[in-house]
Amino acid sequence: MSPAAYLPQRGTPRAGETDPAKLPLPANLEVEQALLGSILVNNEAHGRVAGFLRPEHFFEAVHREIYTIAGQMITGKKPVTPGTIASFLPAKLEIAPGVPLRAYLAQLAANATTVVNAVDFALVIVNLAQRRELRLIGEDLIVDGTVTEGQVDIMPGVEHASARLFELGNEITQLAGALN
């Protein structure tokens, strides 16, 4: 069974769907799982992506936690495998109802990508995180742009969105520069 079967299923957009509220946030759980599996199988994979991939880039909270702990262990010169990381993760880490942590970690390792593909998989994860941020900025603009009683000045909302867009643009530019 693939690791994806352990996680709650996310909706997929229907053809022609244009209502942003009905569109799922951009994510690829299989790519997240394959990269984490790669790190569990060969810790060198972490070294290839740690310079640009941050825990918050992961969509799934359990994946953020696994990546964070794996990074701490690798930095501390401790080997990371499904067995060794399990004891460093919170015992009550929520994967899905009734799914044992050790079973999920073993499945991640079994479905790992190769170290050679680690950077490409990490870039997909970062790209999807950037798309989620762009979507959230847009959703905030929709809220800020909605006329409400007593709200006159829209500049704070515009300035906030502009700053977030500038920050996102800088992140994208820095990543592109780091990879070239």
Side-chain angles (χ1 to χ4, degrees), residues 6-178:
Y6 288 122
L7 294 172
Q9 296 301 308
R10 304 282 192 255
T12 55
R14 287 189 231 164
E17 183 63 69
T18 57
D19 182 354
K22 294 181 181 176
L23 294 173
L25 288 172
N28 188 325
L29 300 181
E30 290 82 9
V31 169
E32 290 185 11
Q33 292 165 336
L35 177 62
L36 290 171
S38 178
I39 292 169
L40 294 174
V41 171
N42 185 338
N43 295 174
E44 181 185 328
H46 182 269
R48 292 183 180 214
V49 302
F52 65 91
L53 182 64
R54 297 188 313 270
E56 60 267 21
H57 288 139
F58 287 88
F59 181 74
E60 196 64 46
V62 68
H63 295 164
R64 289 190 293 269
E65 186 72 19
I66 292 168
Y67 182 74
T68 298
I69 298 298
Q72 291 169 352
M73 290 176 67
I74 292 167
T75 300
K77 308 290 186 211
K78 295 180 180 129
V80 175
T81 67
T84 60
I85 195 171
S87 60
F88 288 91
L89 289 166
K92 301 222 187 264
L93 189 62
E94 182 70 25
I95 295 166
V99 177
L101 174 62
R102 289 184 184 273
Y104 185 69
L105 293 170
Q107 282 299 314
L108 290 178
N111 292 294
T113 187
T114 62
V115 173
V116 173
N117 293 327
V119 170
D120 292 331
F121 278 55
L123 288 173
V124 169
I125 293 167
V126 171
N127 178 271
L128 292 169
Q130 292 166 340
R131 290 174 183 277
R132 287 192 299 275
E133 177 62 17
L134 184 61
R135 167 123 170 237
L136 294 173
I137 293 168
E139 289 174 359
D140 286 349
L141 279 171
I142 290 169
V143 171
D144 290 344
T146 303
V147 177
T148 60
E149 203 171 305
Q151 183 181 6
V152 179
D153 189 5
I154 64 167
M155 275 313 289
V158 171
E159 289 169 348
H160 182 68
S162 177
R164 287 173 65 194
L165 284 169
F166 183 76
E167 184 178 314
L168 180 60
N170 278 341
E171 179 182 322
I172 293 167
T173 301
Q174 289 172 356
L175 178 60

